[in-house]
Amino acid sequence: MRIIKTKNYDEMSRYAANIIAAEIIQKPNCVLGLATGETPEGIYKRLVQLFKQGDIDFSSVSTVNLDEYKGLERTDSHSYYSYMHNRLFKHVNLNEKSINIPDGTQRDVKKACEEYDKCIQDLGGVDLQLLGLGHNGHIGFNEPSDRFIAKTHCVNLSSSTREANSRFFSSVHDVPMQAYTMGILNIMKAKKIVVVVNGENKADAVRESFFGSITPKVQASILQVHPDVTVVADEAALSKCKF
Ligand code: F6R
């Protein structure tokens, strides 16, 4: 595991965007695993800039997103599809057919999950997976638990996660109760993983995830055994780690 300490959020975003841009340049038909949330917003802005100045080309790239709220239509402004569309997809030359996000409207959980696992498999797996980190150490929506769940599944969101995500909704009551998420094996099978994290309020999660013992209570801790993980974190997020 490589840990890159950056001065602040902007530097973190630029650094991580450059790693993703390098992947696209080296493998134009790469499969990018993407995350939503506040942390990657700066990365998507930077990738759009790099695209507009002609440095990267998304025409052969495929994307798979980590997760989607269950029950939300793609067109719902709170869906993760809308998030990705507004921040990245509509600004670059990605082929609409190469964009993959779990289908939040699929009520048949087994079908939704199996289809998404098959989609990832048919693409030949993820080349580079971008991850944010939850305050409770979640990755995707793999919440603290007594086990790691391997594949795509439907998860009941913890109250702390719903509370944290309520900033994107009018109130916490509007945050969906469930989401579809890639599982830990889906994530661990990615050839490269880039985790981005900023802010002092994530410092405990960073210490427990990357310097603590490996436990499903802190799902991100499993990343310690992946052969190619880069954590790009600002000074504040690393403030409780000695290394
Ligand atoms: C989002 C996702 C989540 C977030 C995490 C951090 O697709 O999978 O695991 O990465 O909740 O969210 P932010 O960046 O908003 O703090």
Side-chain angles (χ1 to χ4, degrees), residues 27 54 106 121 139 198 205 227:
K27 187 173 180 193
Q106 177 57 265
Q121 198 184 334
I139 45 175
N198 70 292

Side-chain angles (χ1 to χ4, degrees), residues 34-40 65-67 80 131-135 138-142 161 164-165 167-168 181 196 198 202:
L34 299 176
T36 59
E38 211 169 331
T39 319
N65 262 82
L66 278 168
D67 39 23
Y80 281 170
L131 295 174
L133 182 68
H135 292 99
H138 74 210
I139 45 175
F141 274 134
N142 293 278
T161 296
N165 288 8
R167 66 197 191 279
F168 298 111
T181 181
V196 284
N198 70 292
K202 296 267 180 85

